[in-house]
Amino acid sequence: MLGSNFNTSIFVHLLSMNIGIVCYPTFGGSGVVATELGKALADKGHSVHFISYDQPARLDVFNQNLFYHEVSFNNYPLFKFAPYEIALTSKIVDVVKAYKLDILHVHYAIPHAAAAVTAKHILAREGIKLKIVTTLHGTDITLVGKDHSYEPVVSYSLFESDVVTAVSESLKQDTYDNFSYDGDISVIPNFIDFERFNKQPKDHFKKVIAPNNEKILVHTSNFRKVKRVPDVVEIYKRVAAETPAKLLLIGDGPERTKVEDQCRNCEYCDGVTFLGKQEAVEEILSIADLFLIPSETESFGLAALEAMACEVPVVSTNTGGLPEVNIDGLTGYTSDIGDVAKMASDALHILKDENLQQFKRQAKKHSLKYKLENILPLYETLY
Ligand code: GMT
C-alpha cells in the first residue's frame, strides 16, 4: 500500500535534466517500468538517454527528448563469457560525458548498479560528478541476489549509489535481510499508465473466447519456475469443475512445454488457450473476469496491477510485495504458496455473479492509487 512516506500531493517543479536510464530491454517488469518512466520524464521535458544491450521493448514512440544508446561488444575467442559489464561501464562513461548527464538511474542491481558505480569512479578521476539512483526490482535481490557470491558486489554498489529505491516495502526488507547494505531505501511503488491500461470493451473478442458466457481467467508471465504456472492450471481445473470457465495463458518461457503437457492430460483443458507473447495485454485483460498470479516470490506484481487497472480482480499468493498490491478481501484474495485449493475456492467466490462486479470495482479503485501522475513526482523529487 502507498505508505506515509509518499506525499503524492507534492508539486514538483524541476528544470529539465539530462537523465540516463540503464535497464533490461525485455518485456519483464523492470524493463517495462524503466521504459515507461523514461517516456514520462521525456514528456515532461527532460532529456532521457536509455542505455541497454537492445532497444527496450516499450521504447516504441518518437520523442525528441528520448535517446537510445546500444551497448555492443566484440567477442573474442579467449572470452568464454562476453564481458558485458565492462562494455556497459564504458558506454555509461561515454554517454555521461557526451550528453552531460546529471543523473544515472539504473534498474535492477545486477550488473547495472555495479557498472554504474565503476563508471562513477572513472568519471570522478576526470572531475565529472555522476549521481546514481539504483532501483531494486525483485529477483536481483530475492533470487539472484541471494546467491552469496553476488553479495559483496551488490552491497558495495548499493552503498556507492546516491539513492536506493525498492518497489515495495517487502523488497526493502528483503534487501536488509539478505545484504550487508544498511543505508536508506526509499519505497517507490510501480505505476500504471491509465491511458493504456483501461478497460476497453471488446465484446466480439469475448464472444470468440467465451461463446457461452464462460468466466475468463487470465495469467500472464515469463513462464519461469518462480511463477508456478502449473498452479494456475490446477486452480483453473478446480474452478472449471464447478462453473463454466476458460483460461488464457499469456507469455512464454522455460516452463511452457511442461505446462502444455500438463494441459494435454487434463479433463477441462480444452478450455485453456496458450496465447504466447502478446503486446496488447490490456485488450485481453479487458475481457477477463479474474487474474491468477500464484508466484513463489514476487517483489511487486506489476502484472496483477495491470489486471486491476482493467477492472480484473486478482487471486494471488501472499508472498513478497503481492499483499501490498492485491488487498486481501478487497481487490481479490491472497493465499499461502501452493495452496491451490484455497485459491480455487477464492476464485469461485469472486466469480459468483453476486460478487464479481463489486470485486471488479474495488480492484479498479485501488489500482488508481498507482497512477503514473502520482508516482512520477516521487522520482522527480529524488532526482
Ligand atoms: O517477474 C519477473 O520475472 C521479471 C522481473 C523483472 O525484473 O523484470 O520482475 C520483477 O520486477 C517487476 C517490476 O518491478 C515486479 O513487478 C515483479 O514482481 C518482479 N518479479 C519478481 O519479484 C519475481
Side-chain angles (χ1 to χ4, degrees), residues 31-52:
V32 167
V33 169
T35 312
E36 296 298 344
L37 175 63
K39 281 157 60 174
L41 289 164
D43 282 344
K44 291 194 81 174
H46 303 291
S47 293
V48 180
H49 295 258
F50 283 92
I51 303 173
S52 190

Side-chain angles (χ1 to χ4, degrees), residues 24 26-33 108 135-140 142-143 167 171 190 222 224 226-227 293 295 297-303 322:
Y24 283 104
T26 55
F27 279 107
S30 63
V32 167
V33 169
Y108 209 89
T135 290
L136 306 172
H137 278 275
T139 43
D140 45 354
T142 55
L143 289 183
V167 297
L171 184 60
N190 290 328
N222 48 23
R224 284 199 261 130
V226 67
K227 303 294 175 182
I293 176 166
S295 304
T297 164
E298 201 70 64
S299 70
F300 184 85
L302 184 61
L322 278 171

Side-chain angles (χ1 to χ4, degrees), residues 32-106:
V32 167
V33 169
T35 312
E36 296 298 344
L37 175 63
K39 281 157 60 174
L41 289 164
D43 282 344
K44 291 194 81 174
H46 303 291
S47 293
V48 180
H49 295 258
F50 283 92
I51 303 173
S52 190
Y53 61 78
D54 218 340
Q55 170 113 4
R58 291 260 185 106
L59 197 58
D60 49 4
V61 289
F62 172 77
N63 182 315
Q64 60 183 4
N65 296 331
L66 281 177
F67 305 87
Y68 163 60
H69 308 274
E70 190 155 305
V71 181
S72 51
F73 42 88
N74 296 326
N75 216 343
Y76 182 68
L78 180 67
F79 301 144
K80 187 170 172 197
F81 306 104
Y84 177 66
E85 196 176 325
I86 293 180
L88 172 62
T89 307
S90 302
K91 180 58 85 177
I92 293 172
V93 170
D94 180 58
V95 174
V96 170
K97 283 162 78 173
Y99 296 92
K100 302 198 174 4
L101 300 192
D102 306 298
I103 300 252
L104 187 71
H105 188 166
V106 297

Side-chain angles (χ1 to χ4, degrees), residues 84-322:
Y84 177 66
E85 196 176 325
I86 293 180
L88 172 62
T89 307
S90 302
K91 180 58 85 177
I92 293 172
V93 170
D94 180 58
V95 174
V96 170
K97 283 162 78 173
Y99 296 92
K100 302 198 174 4
L101 300 192
D102 306 298
I103 300 252
L104 187 71
H105 188 166
V106 297
H107 292 258
Y108 209 89
I110 302 169
H112 301 157
V117 164
T118 310
K120 173 177 166 163
H121 293 161
I122 293 169
L123 289 159
R125 287 171 63 88
E126 298 181 34
I128 299 170
K129 280 194 184 139
L130 176 66
K131 297 280 184 196
I132 298 173
V133 177
T134 295
T135 290
L136 306 172
H137 278 275
T139 43
D140 45 354
I141 296 302
T142 55
L143 289 183
V144 191
K146 266 187 204 158
D147 178 337
H148 207 67
S149 54
Y150 293 103
E151 200 284 326
V153 179
V154 173
S155 283
Y156 174 72
S157 309
L158 300 184
F159 276 120
E160 291 293 307
S161 297
D162 295 278
V163 174
V164 178
T165 79
V167 297
S168 64
E169 292 291 342
S170 150
L171 184 60
K172 174 178 174 175
Q173 194 52 50
D174 278 336
T175 309
Y176 289 139
D177 291 346
N178 291 302
F179 293 86
S180 59
Y181 176 72
D182 60 0
D184 283 347
I185 299 178
S186 306
V187 174
I188 301 188
N190 290 328
F191 55 85
I192 285 279
D193 176 1
F194 278 89
E195 276 185 26
R196 175 172 174 199
F197 284 93
N198 232 324
K199 195 169 173 71
Q200 314 164 354
K202 294 267 175 207
D203 288 347
H204 57 287
F205 181 32
K206 183 158 183 140
K207 275 194 190 113
V208 173
I209 299 291
N212 301 310
N213 218 14
E214 294 92 337
K215 295 290 191 289
I216 300 177
L217 283 61
V218 172
H219 168 79
T220 161
S221 75
N222 48 23
F223 281 60
R224 284 199 261 130
K225 257 197 159 61
V226 67
K227 303 294 175 182
R228 296 183 67 101
V229 190
D231 283 4
V232 172
V233 176
E234 284 305 317
I235 298 164
Y236 166 72
K237 275 159 59 177
R238 290 165 194 245
V239 169
E242 301 290 329
T243 191
K246 300 279 183 171
L247 173 64
L248 302 180
L249 293 170
I250 306 171
D252 210 333
E255 290 279 281
R256 175 156 168 189
T257 312
K258 180 175 156 190
V259 178
E260 288 205 45
D261 278 350
Q262 183 190 7
C263 287
R264 282 183 196 137
N265 301 317
C266 115
E267 193 183 337
Y268 298 100
C269 290
D270 281 352
V272 182
T273 306
F274 288 82
L275 293 172
K277 288 183 184 162
Q278 295 284 333
E279 284 198 33
V281 186
E282 65 280 10
E283 294 189 4
I284 302 163
L285 289 171
S286 289
I287 62 158
D289 296 298
L290 186 67
F291 189 79
L292 301 175
I293 176 166
S295 304
E296 180 96 33
T297 164
E298 201 70 64
S299 70
F300 184 85
L302 184 61
L305 183 58
E306 290 175 345
M308 286 157 56
C310 296
E311 293 179 30
V312 185
V314 174
V315 162
S316 72
T317 42
N318 53 18
T319 177
L322 278 171

